[in-house]
C-alpha cells in the first residue's frame, strides 16, 4: 500500500475527495472509493464489475493483456509441468508449496474423507434419470449443509480446515454418483488407495460385474486439467461463493451457489457448448459460415470457447490443454481426432479474422478441454461437473481467505435505480 492519492472533484459543489491508491504486488493499482458516497453523495456504476476490485486476495493473479496466470506467485506453466493437482490444492489453501511430510499428510486426509454419508447417496434416487448432472451435484452439495452443520463453526480455523478437506475429498464421489444415477448403474464407492484422479476415473467407469483397468493417460490428463481449472481469481462462480459466504451462511451452501453460477454457458458451461458447436459445424467447409454468424450482431451465436473477460491474449491454459489434447488422442479416443482437427482449423481461421483480432478474442480454457473429456469417454453433460470438481479448491480457498479476513463485510452492491418515481397506491377500483 502507498500513501498516494487521486483527487476527485464534484463539478457542481467543488467538494474534493482524496481517494487512497493501493499498489498491489502484481497488476494495476486500485482506488479506495469507500468514502465516496459519504463525502460526495454518489455511487460508482460498473455493471459486470469490469473495473471493480471487490476484495483483497493473495491467491491467484491474472495478467490478461500478457496471458499470464499464477497461483500464489507460481506460473501455471511450471505447475502444469512439475506439480500435481493435490499439491496445487495444498498450495492454494495454504499459500506455500508443501514439504514432503505436509504433502503426505494432506494427501492422506483427502483420501480418507472421500466417502459420503449413505443417506446423502440416497438423495440421488429423488432425481429423474435424465436430470442434468450439474443440477444433481448442486442439489447434493447444498444438502451437505444438512449433514455437517453442527461441526461447521466458521469462526474456528480447525472447523474450516475440516470443511475444506471434506469438500475437496467428497466432490468427486458426488460427481461420479450423479453420473452413475443418470446411467442407472450402481454407485461405485471410493477406493482410498487410489490417487485423486484415479479414484474419480474408477468411480465413473467401473461396474461391479467386471474388473476395470484405469488408463494412466486418463489420470494424467485429468490431473493436468484439474491443475489448470483449480482457480481463476474473482471469476463469476468464485465471486458468487464469496458473496453468498459473506453473509456467514453454511459453507456447503456457499459452494453450491458457486456450482450454480459455474453451470452457465458464459462460464463453465462453455466446454459443453464448444462440443455442441463443433458437432453442429460438422466439417471444415462450414467454418466460414459459423464465423460469419459469430460476427453478425443480429445473430445471438458466439464462437464458444472464444473470448474472455480478463484475457485479451491467448489464455495460457488453452495452450497447455491443446498439447495434452494431441497426446490423449494419440492414445485413446482416436475417433475424436476429427473434432480436434476441426477445432484447430476453426481457431486458425478465427485468429486471422479482423473481427476477432480487433476485439482480442482468443481461445479460452474451454476450447480444447471438452475434446479431452470426450476422448476419455466422459459424456458432454459431465464436462461442467469435471470443471466444478477442479474449481472446488479455488472456491474453498477464497471462502477461507474471506472468512479469516477481519476486514470482510457482507457483500451488498448498490444500484442505479431507473424505475418509477414515488407515487401513491391506487385502490383496485380506481385503476384503468
Ligand atoms: N464470439 C463472437 N463475438 C464475441 C465473442 C465470441 N465468443 N466473445 C465476445 N465477443 C464480442 C462481443 O459481441 C462484443 O462485441 P461488441 O463490442 O461489438 O459488442 C465484444 O466481443 C466484447 O464481448 P463482451 O461480451 O462484452 O465481453 P465480456 O467480457 O462481457 O464476455 C465472455 C466474456 C462471456 C467469455 C464472452 O467472450 C463469451 O460469451 N464467450 C463465449 C463463451 C465462453 O467461451 N465462455 C467461457 C469463458 S472462460 C470460463 O469462464 C471458464
Amino acid at each position: 500500500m502507498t500513501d498516494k492519492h487521486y483527487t476527485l472533484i464534484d463539478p457542481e459543489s467543488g467538494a474534493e475527495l482524496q481517494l487512497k491508491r493501493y499498489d498491489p504486488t502484481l497488476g494495476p493499482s486500485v482506488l479506495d472509493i469507500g468514502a465516496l458516497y459519504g463525502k460526495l453523495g454518489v455511487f460508482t456504476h460498473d455493471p459486470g464489475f469490469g473495473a471493480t476490485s471487490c476484495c483483497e486476495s493473495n491467491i491467484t493473479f491474472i495478467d490478461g493483456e500478457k496471458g499470464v496466470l499464477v497461483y500464489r506467485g507460481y506460473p501455471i506453466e511450471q505447475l502444469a509441468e512439475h506439480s500435481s493437482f493435490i499439491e496445487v490444492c495444498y498450495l492454494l489453501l495454504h499459500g506455500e508449496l508443501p514439504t514432503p511430510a505436509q504433502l503426505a499428510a494432506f494427501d492422506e486426509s483427502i483420501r480418507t474423507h472421500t466417502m459420503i454419508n449413505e443417506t446423502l447417496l440416497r438423495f440421488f434416487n429423488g432425481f429423474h434419470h435424465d436430470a442434468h448432472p450439474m443440477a444433481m451435484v448442486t442439489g447434493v452439495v447444498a444438502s451437505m449443509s444438512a449433514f455437517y452443520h453442527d461441526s461447521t463453526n466458521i469462526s474456528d480455523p480447525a472447523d474450516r480446515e475440516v470443511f475444506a478437506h471434506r469438500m475437496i475429498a467428497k466432490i468427486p464421489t458426488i460427481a461420479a454418483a450423479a453420473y452413475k444415477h443418470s446411467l442407472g448403474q450402481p454407485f461405485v464407492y471410493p477406493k482410498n488407495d487410489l490417487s485423486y484422479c484415479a479414484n474419480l476415473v474408477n468411480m465413473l467407469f467401473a461396474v461391479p460385474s467386471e474388473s476395470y483397468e484405469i488408463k494412466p493417460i486418463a489420470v494424467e490428463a485429468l490431473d493436468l486439467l484439474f491443475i489448470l481449472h483449480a482457480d481463476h481469481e474473482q471469476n463469476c462462480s468464485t465471486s458468487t461463493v464469496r458473496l453468498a459466504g459473506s453473509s456467514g451462511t453454511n459453507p456447503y451452501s456457499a459452494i453450491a451457489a458457486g456450482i450454480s453460477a459455474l453451470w452457465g454457458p458464459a462460464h463453465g458451461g462453455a466446454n459443453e457448448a464448444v462440443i455442441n458447436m463443433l458437432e453442429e459445424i460438422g466439417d471444415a467447409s462450414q467454418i466460414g459460415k459459423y464465423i460469419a454468424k459469430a460476427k453478425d450482431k443480429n445473430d445471438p451465436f458466439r464462437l464458444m470457447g472464444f473470448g474472455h473477460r480478463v484475457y485479451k491474449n491467448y489464455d495460457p491454459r488453452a495452450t497447455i490443454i491443446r498439447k495434452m489434447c494431441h497426446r490423449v488422442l494419440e492414445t485413446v479416443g482416436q475417433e475424436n481426432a476429427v473434432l480436434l482437427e476441426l477445432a484447430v482449423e476453426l481457431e486458425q481461421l478465427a485468429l486471422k479474422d479482423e473481427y476477432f483480432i480487433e476485439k482480442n478474442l482468443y481461445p479460452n480454457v474451454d476450447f480444447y478441454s471438452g475434446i479431452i473429456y470426450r476422448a476419455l469417454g466422459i459424456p458432454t453433460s459431465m464436462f461442467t461437473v469435471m470443471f466444478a470438481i477442479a474449481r472446488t479448491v479455488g472456491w474453498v480457498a477464497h471462502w477461507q481467505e474471506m472468512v479469516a479476513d477481519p476486514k470482510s463485510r457482507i457483500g451488498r452492491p448498490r444500484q442505479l435505480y431507473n424505475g418509477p418515481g414515488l407515487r401513491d397506491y391506487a385502490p383496485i377500483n380506481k385503476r384503468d
Side-chain angles (χ1 to χ4, degrees):
M1 277 184 205
T2 63
D3 54 2
K4 297 207 176 97
H5 292 84
Y6 280 48
T7 306
L8 207 65
I9 303 167
D10 183 330
E12 278 157 26
S13 66
E16 282 190 11
L17 173 65
Q18 300 236 299
L19 302 178
K20 208 185 276 177
R21 191 183 93 186
Y22 301 138
D23 294 333
T25 342
L26 296 169
S29 300
V30 303
L31 298 178
D32 185 343
I33 55 157
L36 191 62
Y37 179 64
K39 290 272 166 59
L40 301 185
V42 291
F43 298 136
T44 52
H45 185 56
D46 181 21
F49 309 111
T52 299
S53 149
C54 62
C55 62
E56 200 175 324
S57 183
N58 301 334
I59 303 174
T60 292
F61 171 73
I62 306 169
D63 183 333
E65 272 69 38
K66 296 198 183 110
V68 168
L69 168 63
V70 298
Y71 295 163
R72 302 284 192 183
Y74 296 102
I76 194 68
E77 292 80 1
Q78 291 183 21
L79 294 169
E81 190 171 346
H82 304 296
S83 190
S84 65
F85 178 63
I86 280 295
E87 188 179 60
V88 164
C89 287
Y90 186 97
L91 173 68
L92 288 170
L93 293 172
H94 296 272
E96 297 296 338
L97 287 168
T99 62
Q102 286 167 332
L103 182 60
F106 180 71
D107 186 48
E108 169 74 7
S109 177
I110 299 298
R111 280 176 197 246
T112 50
H113 278 93
T114 51
M115 281 179 68
I116 57 172
N117 189 295
E118 199 65 17
T119 327
L120 201 55
L121 208 50
R122 279 186 223 123
F123 277 31
F124 286 95
N125 293 334
F127 291 106
H128 201 247
H129 69 91
D130 63 357
H132 195 288
M134 277 299 274
M136 292 192 260
V137 170
T138 312
V140 173
V141 168
S143 309
M144 288 173 83
S145 56
F147 285 77
Y148 305 111
H149 60 101
D150 50 354
S151 60
T152 314
N153 171 8
I154 64 169
S155 8
D156 181 348
D159 269 20
R160 294 203 293 266
E161 188 165 2
V162 173
F163 153 72
H165 290 207
R166 276 188 179 138
M167 195 61 250
I168 294 163
K170 294 181 197 308
I171 187 78
T173 314
I174 293 171
Y179 178 50
K180 288 298 193 190
H181 179 73
S182 65
L183 293 178
Q185 287 183 2
F187 302 124
V188 174
Y189 286 89
K191 287 172 94 175
N192 294 351
D193 57 338
L194 293 175
S195 72
Y196 194 82
C197 290
N199 194 21
L200 172 61
V201 170
N202 192 61
M203 288 189 290
L204 287 171
F205 299 118
V207 285
S209 46
E210 53 191 60
S211 57
Y212 176 73
E213 198 187 322
I214 300 165
K215 294 188 183 73
I217 187 71
V219 176
E220 197 189 330
L222 286 186
D223 205 74
L224 178 79
L225 286 173
F226 286 4
I227 291 174
L228 301 177
H229 281 98
D231 193 37
H232 215 226
E233 48 116 313
Q234 311 309 323
N235 57 85
C236 175
S237 54
T238 304
S239 303
T240 302
V241 171
R242 278 187 178 262
L243 190 58
S246 75
S247 71
T249 190
N250 183 287
Y252 297 101
S253 304
I255 300 296
I259 299 174
S260 305
L262 185 75
W263 193 3
H267 191 16
N271 49 18
E272 184 174 339
V274 169
I275 296 294
N276 294 338
M277 174 189 75
L278 290 174
E279 283 181 339
E280 192 183 317
I281 294 176
D283 75 273
S285 66
Q286 298 299 306
I287 292 177
K289 186 175 117 194
Y290 281 86
I291 289 188
K293 267 166 77 64
K295 287 158 50 175
D296 180 358
K297 286 283 152 232
N298 299 316
D299 190 326
F301 176 78
R302 284 185 168 200
L303 273 198
M304 298 315 287
F306 254 77
H308 198 275
R309 169 61 60 80
V310 181
Y311 292 118
K312 301 302 165 203
N313 202 323
Y314 214 98
D315 181 335
R317 301 167 299 174
T319 319
I320 301 167
I321 294 179
R322 190 177 46 189
K323 273 194 215 141
M324 178 53 91
C325 206
H326 284 285
R327 275 201 50 219
V328 168
L329 291 180
E330 280 160 18
T331 323
V332 288
Q334 283 90 351
E335 64 279 10
N336 294 288
V338 182
L339 227 47
L340 177 59
E341 276 166 30
L342 194 60
V344 170
E345 192 150 351
L346 175 60
E347 176 194 333
Q348 282 168 355
L349 285 176
L351 291 181
K352 278 193 229 138
D353 191 288
E354 208 40 55
Y355 173 94
F356 291 87
I357 297 170
E358 193 200 310
K359 295 187 190 301
N360 293 315
L361 299 171
Y362 292 84
N364 61 47
V365 68
D366 283 329
F367 194 65
Y368 288 104
S369 60
I371 302 177
I372 297 185
Y373 289 139
R374 171 66 67 88
L376 299 181
I378 295 166
T380 320
S381 61
M382 281 294 289
F383 290 2
T384 314
V385 173
M386 304 304 281
F387 191 161
I389 297 173
R391 185 55 57 83
T392 292
V393 64
W395 294 327
V396 169
H398 281 270
W399 175 85
Q400 281 194 329
E401 183 177 63
M402 180 193 65
V403 173
D405 181 354
K407 294 196 294 297
S408 272
R409 302 165 74 197
I410 186 168
R412 195 349 180 147
R414 299 297 194 142
Q415 63 172 3
L416 170 64
Y417 174 74
N418 269 327
L422 271 188
R423 49 184 170 168
D424 288 324
Y425 176 86
I428 196 154
N429 56 353
K430 295 276 164 57
R431 293 175 214 159
D432 298 332

